[in-house]
Amino acid sequence: MNNYTNRSHDMSLMHEELARAQMSARLGEAQASRRGHQVAMARRLSRKAERAAQQARLALARL
């Protein structure tokens, strides 16, 4: 009976470890996705600022 209990406990620990590993992997994927989204937003805002600066330069050149 004791041998069966030890195996059951070991299996339980393995399942917990697997769940922890999967959770860690998902958190890593979520962080990478957020980083990608932030980089894309930064690029978009940078292009928008560049366009605004160019329009301001053109407006000043017309004066």
Side-chain angles (χ1 to χ4, degrees):
M1 183 70 179
N2 193 22
N3 192 21
Y4 176 76
T5 304
N6 286 342
R7 283 188 199 172
S8 179
H9 180 70
D10 290 346
M11 287 298 287
S12 178
L13 290 177
M14 285 176 26
H15 286 299
E16 287 178 24
E17 191 174 327
L18 177 61
R20 246 184 254 112
Q22 289 173 338
M23 178 87 75
S24 178
R26 287 192 181 113
L27 284 171
E29 290 170 3
Q31 289 172 342
S33 175
R34 273 194 297 276
R35 255 183 266 120
H37 181 71
Q38 289 171 345
V39 167
M41 284 295 291
R43 285 182 183 149
R44 228 174 280 136
L45 290 174
S46 175
R47 285 193 299 265
K48 186 175 181 178
E50 288 171 10
R51 280 194 303 270
Q54 180 64 27
Q55 287 176 351
R57 282 192 293 274
L58 288 172
L60 283 173
R62 288 185 195 121
L63 293 176

